[in-house]
Amino acid sequence: MVAGGGVLLVVGGVSGCGSAEAGGAPVERKTFAFGGQTLEIDAGNTDIELVTGDVEGVEVTRQVDGWVFMGSGPEAVWKLAGGTLTLRVSCEAMASSCDSRHRVTVPRGLGVTVTDDNGSVSASGFSSALALRADNGEVTVRNSSGALELASDNGEVRAEGVSSRQVTAAADNGSVRLSLTAAPDRVEAVSDNGEIVVELPRSQGPYAVSAEADNGRTDVGVPTDPGSAHVVTARSENGEVTVRSAN
């Protein structure tokens, strides 16, 4: 097991090495000074958890675990430069098993943009804008009210208990599930290959709903009015589309 930027090389056979598990790895902590309005996070091969708190800078904890055979890793990088926080872990070997996770605590009111090459991204408790993208992993937001731009190339996109006025969610290969506690100004949900479910407060309708499915059924179960200021668009190329009441 190696945490941080260390290297572990296994020179014997790989049998019995097992799978890496970051949850049991030592916890490292680091605080980065930051004075901007929006933090950009460039991540790779790690799960990212975002939270807000009464902190001065950007506080990061990480756990890294893994083994390699005929190669190097896990090699972990964390740095902040030019407004971008880089959180990357790499294992380059003939055979390997690497696992990592980062928890990032930012000051309240700070907007955050995340791009994760390989790993899930989650956030909770934000009143500021979030733009979260995972190339290969789930994207999840809970209990937040800021504008949301969520996307995954290969994984589910989910928002739970959010009161955001603007929500954009897209999944190339995965479902989109949005549960809103307040009537939004605009929701756009798109999936190339997966179902879409949008839950809205019935008592705050009606809604201007456009629901389309190229290969699947559509079901709209909320009061509708094409002239409503609450606009909801949901479209799936291959999957069912449901717009229903959340209460």
Side-chain angles (χ1 to χ4, degrees):
M1 180 183 300
V2 177
V7 176
L8 175 63
L9 177 62
V10 180
V11 296
V14 298
S15 62
C17 291
S19 299
E21 176 52 61
V27 178
E28 297 179 278
R29 295 178 171 83
K30 192 170 184 178
T31 299
F32 300 89
F34 186 76
Q37 297 299 312
T38 300
L39 175 68
E40 294 189 11
I41 299 178
D42 175 27
N45 299 318
T46 186
D47 294 335
I48 302 293
E49 179 187 4
L50 302 174
V51 295
T52 63
D54 297 322
V55 295
E56 294 295 329
V58 176
E59 297 184 355
V60 182
T61 64
R62 73 179 180 188
Q63 293 173 278
V64 182
D65 185 27
W67 58 263
V68 301
F69 172 66
M70 296 184 65
S72 63
E75 297 177 350
V77 174
W78 54 359
K79 64 180 181 179
L80 195 153
T84 299
L85 176 65
T86 300
L87 305 172
R88 288 187 167 268
V89 178
S90 63
C91 283
E92 298 182 3
M94 179 179 294
S96 65
S97 179
C98 295
D99 187 39
S100 63
R101 62 180 63 177
H102 289 76
R103 177 182 172 93
V104 182
T105 304
V106 303
R108 302 185 193 281
L110 183 69
V112 182
T113 297
V114 177
T115 301
D116 194 346
D117 287 341
N118 185 36
S120 64
V121 181
S122 65
S124 62
F126 278 79
S127 60
S128 49
L130 294 173
L132 311 180
R133 183 181 186 89
D135 286 346
N136 187 34
E138 296 183 353
V139 174
T140 305
V141 176
R142 296 183 175 90
N143 304 323
S144 296
S145 59
L148 300 177
E149 295 183 22
L150 313 176
S152 175
D153 287 345
N154 188 33
E156 185 179 52
V157 174
R158 185 167 61 246
E160 301 174 349
V162 301
S163 56
S164 306
R165 308 296 294 184
Q166 302 280 344
V167 179
T168 300
D172 286 347
N173 187 34
S175 61
V176 175
R177 298 177 179 274
L178 309 175
S179 180
L180 286 82
T181 60
D185 293 334
R186 181 171 295 274
V187 169
E188 296 183 17
V190 179
S191 177
D192 288 343
N193 187 33
E195 70 170 341
I196 295 175
V197 177
V198 180
E199 296 183 339
L200 303 164
R202 183 178 184 86
S203 60
Q204 298 180 34
Y207 301 92
V209 178
S210 174
E212 300 178 12
D214 291 344
N215 186 28
R217 70 181 184 88
T218 62
D219 182 14
V220 177
V222 295
T224 60
D225 178 353
S228 173
H230 307 303
V231 180
V232 178
T233 301
R235 183 178 70 257
S236 175
E237 292 187 8
N238 187 35
E240 297 182 354
V241 174
T242 303
V243 181
R244 65 192 183 197
S245 172
N247 49 20

